[in-house]
Amino acid sequence: MKVRDFLKKYNHALVFLYAFIYMPWFMYLEKHVTKHFYLIHSPLDDYIPFVEYFIVPYLLWFLFIAAGALYLFFTDKKGFLQMAAFLIAGMTIFLIICTVFPNGLNLRPTTFPRDNIFTDLVRYVYSTDTPTNVLPSMHVFNSLGLCIGLNRTESLKNKKWIRFGIYLLTVLIILSTVFLKQHSVTDMIAGLALGAVLYQIVYVHERKRAKSFLHQPVI
């Protein structure tokens, strides 16, 4: 394949440039939102136990996001671009919220009920990830975005077991955020609500507009 043909075929890779906006902004927030922030808490948080085994789906999130995005990138350009629009819109809203409304948590346990490889992994995550900039949960929102994108692509329409696995992993990742005390129930609900709103804008509205266009009279 010629270089020009290759670039034309995969010109949708330009959306990855958003990382150069997201990462500096996010790292700025991580460094500066350390003391004065609004503490996020839901009464339901007090009833949810810490379960270290949820570290497995929590860490699988990184593989899920990367593998899912690359799969759509190479197999479904339109689906990839829709999913990218969904994710970029949500992550930008997240950055704006955390900038004007600094937020954080005080839910992490100081001691663990058990000592095993799973709690060791949780300790590592706690040491590398600050308990700030949590509302809405990007673990929840991005998982939802990948789940939607993958389950809408034609190549997986008849792969019911793969789609079931995607749904299951998405649910486990979402639950992991609260069982590991990485997020409040409030963060989780906010992530789901943001996803619901953007789904209407990115997917439902687009489908209605496409149908409307198809039914326009031909002059």
Side-chain angles (χ1 to χ4, degrees), residues 87-156:
L87 296 182
I88 288 173
M91 289 189 288
T92 302
I93 292 170
F94 159 75
L95 291 171
I96 293 171
I97 290 174
C98 291
T99 300
V100 301
F101 179 65
N103 56 80
L105 298 172
N106 186 24
L107 297 176
R108 293 177 175 180
T110 54
T111 59
F112 296 108
R114 292 164 292 277
D115 190 17
N116 51 46
I117 188 174
F118 302 103
T119 52
D120 289 341
L121 288 171
V122 174
R123 288 189 185 94
Y124 175 74
V125 169
Y126 283 1
S127 69
T128 58
D129 185 22
T130 68
T132 55
N133 307 308
V134 295
L135 178 74
S137 168
M138 286 297 97
H139 242 71
V140 170
F141 174 79
N142 287 338
S143 297
L144 185 63
L146 261 293
C147 183
I148 293 170
L150 290 170
N151 278 283
R152 288 176 62 89
T153 190
E154 285 296 325
S155 61
L156 295 179

Side-chain angles (χ1 to χ4, degrees), residues 2-205:
K2 294 181 180 180
V3 174
R4 182 181 296 179
D5 294 336
F6 179 86
L7 293 176
K8 183 177 180 180
K9 183 177 181 180
Y10 296 112
N11 58 5
H12 50 301
L14 289 173
V15 300
F16 291 120
L17 293 176
Y18 177 72
F20 293 100
I21 297 174
Y22 180 84
M23 290 308 300
W25 193 345
F26 179 72
M27 295 309 298
Y28 172 84
L29 292 173
E30 286 287 275
K31 288 183 179 180
H32 290 83
V33 181
T34 56
K35 294 181 180 179
H36 305 291
F37 54 81
Y38 186 84
L39 203 60
I40 305 297
H41 182 267
S42 166
L44 293 176
D45 296 330
D46 301 328
Y47 294 95
I48 298 175
F50 170 82
V51 182
E52 71 271 21
Y53 306 111
F54 274 98
I55 192 64
V56 176
Y58 187 86
L59 292 178
L60 283 176
W61 177 83
F62 297 95
L63 178 62
F64 179 48
I65 298 298
L70 287 175
Y71 178 82
L72 287 177
F73 178 83
F74 288 110
T75 64
D76 184 356
K77 183 176 181 178
K78 181 182 177 181
F80 172 81
L81 289 174
Q82 279 189 303
M83 184 201 67
F86 180 93
L87 296 182
I88 288 173
M91 289 189 288
T92 302
I93 292 170
F94 159 75
L95 291 171
I96 293 171
I97 290 174
C98 291
T99 300
V100 301
F101 179 65
N103 56 80
L105 298 172
N106 186 24
L107 297 176
R108 293 177 175 180
T110 54
T111 59
F112 296 108
R114 292 164 292 277
D115 190 17
N116 51 46
I117 188 174
F118 302 103
T119 52
D120 289 341
L121 288 171
V122 174
R123 288 189 185 94
Y124 175 74
V125 169
Y126 283 1
S127 69
T128 58
D129 185 22
T130 68
T132 55
N133 307 308
V134 295
L135 178 74
S137 168
M138 286 297 97
H139 242 71
V140 170
F141 174 79
N142 287 338
S143 297
L144 185 63
L146 261 293
C147 183
I148 293 170
L150 290 170
N151 278 283
R152 288 176 62 89
T153 190
E154 285 296 325
S155 61
L156 295 179
K157 285 292 185 182
N158 297 318
K159 305 289 187 356
K160 64 178 182 178
W161 286 109
I162 294 178
R163 294 175 64 191
F164 173 77
I166 292 168
Y167 282 125
L168 179 61
L169 180 57
T170 300
V171 170
L172 289 174
I173 289 172
I174 291 172
L175 291 176
S176 74
T177 64
V178 293
F179 279 100
L180 292 178
K181 303 302 178 179
Q182 279 289 84
H183 284 283
S184 166
V185 170
T186 303
D187 306 328
M188 180 183 71
I189 293 174
L192 293 172
L194 179 59
V197 171
L198 289 179
Y199 178 80
Q200 294 295 318
I201 297 172
V202 175
Y203 291 101
V204 176
H205 178 71

